[in-house]
Amino acid sequence: MQKNKERRINLLIRRRLGDLTQTNTLSAIENVFFQSMSKHDFEEHYEYLKEHKLIHATSFEDNVWFFPDPHKDRDIMFHFNLEVFKELNLALKGYILLKRLSGRAVSSCHAMLQALRYSALASNGFNNCSDLETHLIQQTPIVAYQHASIIKNFFLFYNHNQASEINNVCNSIPKPNRRNRDLPDYKDILTFDEHIIDFFRYISYGEEHVRFFPVYIWWKLTNVIPMRIIEFLTLRKNCIEHRNDETYWIKIPREKKHADSPFKVDVTDTLEINYEMYSIITKYICTLESLNIHSEYLIPFDAYVRYLIRPHQTMQQRKGKQNRLIDKYLQRLIDDFYNEIIQDESVDRITCGDTRHFAIMNMFLQGFNMLSIARMAGHDTLGVQQNYYSHIDHYIQSQVYLMAQEKSKVTFKKIVGGPLLGKTRELIDRGKIYEYEDLISFRSTTYGFCSYQEIDFPKGCAEDCRVCSNYIFKPPVNEIEMGIRWLKDYSDRLTQKVKETTEFMLTISKHMYYDLKHLSYQKTGQDQLNAASQRLVQMMDHLSAVNSTLLENHYEK
């Protein structure tokens, strides 16, 4: 019975080999054991990968294999140099082959091999469990836990004579407290946005613009479309299209496959963009052609390396097999923009992967349901999005805070008729510029005055004076503290309503009916999301209005 099961597993592996591509991930193949497979089986898997150019080596017996990594655009070296432990070395080869055939990324396979090799060398081929434990606890808590997990999984495949003791050692490594990486403060996000937009809008066009153009395209495009970095960097030069109906489209390099399960989403690879985005990409393509820089990819490596500030850096850059940028160099360009253009060490820096979070959160706040977001983001299951929503509360709070600051600045500018003296100028209370005799013509209201002069009063009024742009907070001196409490009370109530509305939207989006096969969703649920999104935007605007008054009076004191 066991042999028949193992034979079926091997047949399953072989049937799936034909479906393996660099971007197509297969379901994990479980219950495969080293002792149930022969060296000939592993050699067959090796030959398949070699035939399809997914591995480079002279023979299976080589101690060094090279796996092409499409993300890094180069071959990654895999060392199998544990020949003193021949069976263990063979098991490692077989394990890595099976993991790669099951769809695991090259970088993931390499991390597994490195963890297993170093652990084996430190523990005499896993024969000394005390040395293994010492090796693990010398790592950082996160690395130790990751390596322990890799070792445990490997010994489910390879039956070592000390497997039980090894498993005990690995189980003794505690799981570290780990949380999602904090996104930059919203004000720092806006700082970057202001600088990159102003740089390309107002500064005379020159070599620096060509150099930072990939950063500009990345920022404008991936803040709207939640793309993975590899998807952005592998955009083809002919990725955009102007159709006869005057619409503009972009094709994202995703493996467009039909969902292989009723619980998976059929993602889309062609999305509509606006004319501005189309024009930006078109301008960059024309610029590259004028510079005689040719590549089938939109963001070529040759453009990046041509404009390195320090020429000696050129020798340190790896062009890879294809003339396109990789993630490390895109991040280097972003960092260079901070260092050379923004020049503010206090600003929390954005990484090239952050914009995917921004785009998903913005889509959610605009009322997109989970299916629509999944198709745009390339998620094949709906549950993947939950990780992104952990930042929603902070994102909204930051947005409201910045909106409040901007309202104060705009109001002040309107009143005095001149520009602000720098971004860090203290906010001024609107009421402070008025003397009481100036307010005689205004209507008296709670803790202040109303400047609304139209005869249809109160038809044009907001739901509450505290959120109205015509309201001037000017309480008598002996009522200032009560007035502040009055403002704060409304701010607290609006904050709670914003939180409740956000949670309501999450609940509706999570539990509404989705027909993944036909890519449809419950209309009533979407209507509820749209209505809640409109309420959320209004409440955020009202909250920012109240908070701007609080900010102004805080600074006055």
Side-chain angles (χ1 to χ4, degrees):
M1 179 69 72
Q2 179 63 27
K3 289 186 177 179
N4 288 336
K5 182 179 180 181
E6 292 163 359
R7 191 178 297 112
R8 288 198 302 272
I9 291 170
N10 274 316
L11 287 173
L12 176 63
I13 294 172
R14 292 187 179 90
R15 282 202 305 271
R16 290 183 171 181
L17 294 183
D19 297 327
L20 184 68
T21 68
Q22 290 183 339
T23 54
N24 186 19
T25 301
L26 305 176
S27 300
I29 300 169
E30 300 176 348
N31 301 321
V32 181
F33 305 102
F34 171 75
Q35 281 74 12
S36 68
M37 302 183 72
S38 68
K39 182 180 178 182
H40 178 70
D41 291 327
F42 296 141
E43 288 173 338
E44 277 192 344
H45 301 333
Y46 166 87
E47 289 299 332
Y48 172 82
L49 288 173
K50 185 175 180 180
E51 178 186 346
H52 289 79
K53 303 185 186 308
L54 296 171
I55 190 171
H56 303 311
T58 305
S59 75
F60 176 83
E61 301 296 337
D62 288 358
N63 288 336
V64 177
W65 296 349
F66 293 89
F67 285 79
D69 187 344
H71 286 227
K72 301 298 182 185
D73 193 24
R74 62 185 176 88
D75 291 349
I76 305 299
M77 187 183 297
F78 283 62
H79 286 279
F80 299 95
N81 54 355
L82 299 178
E83 281 301 305
V84 66
F85 310 107
K86 288 189 177 295
E87 186 179 90
L88 176 62
N89 204 51
L90 177 61
L92 286 173
K93 286 185 172 182
Y95 190 66
I96 294 301
L97 285 170
L98 289 172
K99 285 294 182 181
R100 184 68 186 112
L101 288 168
S102 71
R104 294 297 291 266
V106 172
S107 58
S108 177
C109 292
H110 189 257
M112 290 178 198
L113 178 62
Q114 293 292 80
L116 292 167
R117 279 181 58 243
Y118 291 141
S119 299
L121 290 170
S123 61
N124 188 32
F126 295 104
N127 290 307
N128 190 322
C129 290
S130 177
D131 287 348
L132 174 62
E133 183 176 19
T134 300
H135 167 73
L136 289 175
I137 63 178
Q138 286 175 342
Q139 314 304 313
T140 64
I142 290 176
V143 170
Y145 183 76
Q146 289 173 340
H147 285 197
S149 299
I150 290 170
I151 293 167
K152 283 196 297 183
N153 288 332
F154 174 69
F155 283 105
L156 292 176
F157 165 78
Y158 178 58
N159 187 19
H160 194 278
N161 58 8
Q162 294 200 59
S164 178
E165 291 82 354
I166 293 169
N167 195 58
N168 289 337
V169 168
C170 292
N171 284 334
S172 71
I173 303 300
K175 184 176 183 179
N177 292 325
R178 194 174 181 181
R179 57 190 178 93
N180 294 330
R181 187 186 79 81
D182 289 335
L183 294 176
D185 284 341
Y186 197 76
K187 63 181 178 62
D188 294 331
I189 297 171
L190 287 188
T191 295
F192 182 86
D193 179 72
E194 289 173 1
H195 279 85
I196 193 73
I197 299 302
D198 289 351
F199 182 74
F200 279 86
R201 182 176 294 167
Y202 301 119
I203 300 176
S204 299
Y205 198 77
E207 286 190 354
E208 276 193 326
H209 290 80
V210 182
R211 179 180 169 215
F212 290 122
F213 221 130
V215 178
Y216 186 47
I217 296 174
W218 159 78
W219 183 249
K220 296 287 286 184
L221 183 63
T222 62
N223 260 307
V224 177
I225 301 175
M227 301 169 62
R228 297 178 177 89
I229 294 303
I230 186 61
E231 292 170 346
F232 173 73
L233 294 173
T234 53
L235 283 170
R236 302 283 172 161
K237 188 166 69 174
N238 61 351
C239 64
I240 53 174
E241 177 187 5
H242 178 195
R243 295 184 179 175
N244 293 333
D245 61 356
E246 295 303 313
T247 59
Y248 304 90
W249 298 80
I250 187 167
K251 186 169 185 178
I252 300 171
R254 293 171 178 160
E255 186 72 19
K256 190 177 181 184
K257 62 182 186 302
H258 290 293
D260 58 4
S261 161
F263 305 106
K264 289 191 176 181
V265 179
D266 184 17
V267 300
T268 185
D269 66 351
T270 305
L271 301 167
E272 188 172 3
I273 55 176
N274 60 21
Y275 174 72
E276 180 192 13
M277 194 69 250
Y278 177 84
S279 299
I280 290 171
I281 294 175
T282 300
K283 182 176 181 179
Y284 185 56
I285 293 171
C286 293
T287 300
L288 293 176
E289 289 176 351
S290 69
L291 294 170
N292 202 30
I293 296 174
H294 302 290
S295 171
E296 62 180 303
Y297 294 96
L298 177 63
I299 313 293
F301 174 87
D302 286 350
Y304 161 75
V305 79
R306 176 179 293 194
Y307 293 101
L308 287 175
I309 292 180
R310 294 171 290 279
H312 73 271
Q313 287 181 335
T314 305
M315 299 302 295
Q316 301 172 11
Q317 316 304 312
R318 297 192 184 189
K319 183 172 183 176
K321 296 183 176 183
Q322 306 170 87
N323 187 8
R324 68 168 177 82
L325 211 59
I326 62 173
D327 52 356
K328 179 171 70 173
Y329 299 148
L330 175 62
Q331 187 60 54
R332 190 171 294 171
L333 273 178
I334 295 169
D335 290 337
D336 286 346
F337 189 83
Y338 275 105
N339 294 335
E340 299 164 31
I341 307 301
I342 297 180
Q343 296 183 345
D344 186 346
E345 291 297 325
S346 68
V347 173
D348 194 6
R349 298 190 175 193
I350 298 166
T351 69
C352 56
D354 286 342
T355 51
R356 182 168 168 82
H357 289 257
F358 303 155
I360 289 175
M361 286 188 289
N362 275 320
M363 289 182 71
F364 168 76
L365 294 177
Q366 291 174 51
F368 283 83
N369 63 64
M370 292 179 72
L371 177 57
S372 298
I373 295 174
R375 297 197 72 209
M376 288 276 282
H379 294 151
D380 63 357
T381 60
L382 300 183
V384 177
Q385 292 171 38
Q386 298 302 315
N387 181 53
Y388 293 90
Y389 297 150
S390 62
H391 299 289
I392 283 289
D393 283 343
H394 170 72
Y395 191 75
I396 290 177
Q397 291 168 15
S398 299
Q399 232 177 357
V400 168
Y401 176 71
L402 266 295
M403 288 165 66
Q405 286 189 317
E406 291 303 312
K407 283 179 185 292
S408 298
K409 292 177 183 178
V410 169
T411 303
F412 180 62
K413 183 175 179 180
K414 283 180 180 177
I415 292 172
V416 301
L420 290 171
L421 303 177
K423 296 181 180 179
T424 59
R425 175 176 177 139
E426 289 188 349
L427 302 175
I428 307 297
D429 177 14
R430 281 176 286 177
K432 189 176 179 180
I433 68 169
Y434 291 103
E435 298 296 337
Y436 277 103
E437 54 266 27
D438 299 324
L439 300 171
I440 295 174
S441 62
F442 294 161
R443 293 182 179 85
S444 178
T445 186
T446 309
Y447 297 115
F449 297 86
C450 175
S451 63
Y452 189 72
Q453 298 293 314
E454 302 300 326
I455 59 175
D456 63 346
F457 178 86
K459 277 190 177 180
C461 284
E463 66 178 43
D464 190 288
C465 289
R466 287 168 283 196
V467 301
C468 183
S469 60
N470 295 301
Y471 176 67
I472 300 168
F473 182 71
K474 189 74 172 179
V477 174
N478 63 329
E479 295 182 5
I480 288 179
E481 291 301 323
M482 289 185 291
I484 293 294
R485 285 199 299 272
W486 177 69
L487 290 171
K488 184 67 168 58
D489 175 68
Y490 199 58
S491 173
D492 291 342
R493 276 190 279 157
L494 284 172
T495 299
Q496 182 60 31
K497 285 185 178 180
V498 165
K499 185 176 180 61
E500 290 171 356
T501 303
T502 306
E503 291 174 351
F504 172 76
M505 291 174 66
L506 282 169
T507 300
I508 291 295
S509 188
K510 184 177 180 180
H511 295 291
M512 65 188 285
Y513 172 73
Y514 297 104
D515 183 347
L516 302 188
K517 182 178 179 180
H518 298 98
L519 299 175
S520 61
Y521 43 81
Q522 181 184 357
K523 185 180 183 303
T524 54
Q526 184 58 56
D527 290 343
Q528 286 179 304
L529 275 179
N530 292 339
S533 175
Q534 292 175 9
R535 291 198 305 272
L536 180 64
V537 170
Q538 184 182 53
M539 283 187 286
M540 289 173 64
D541 184 63
H542 288 176
L543 180 57
S544 65
V546 178
N547 287 356
S548 70
T549 307
L550 286 167
L551 279 169
E552 292 160 2
N553 285 275
H554 168 74
Y555 278 102
E556 183 188 6
K557 293 192 290 184

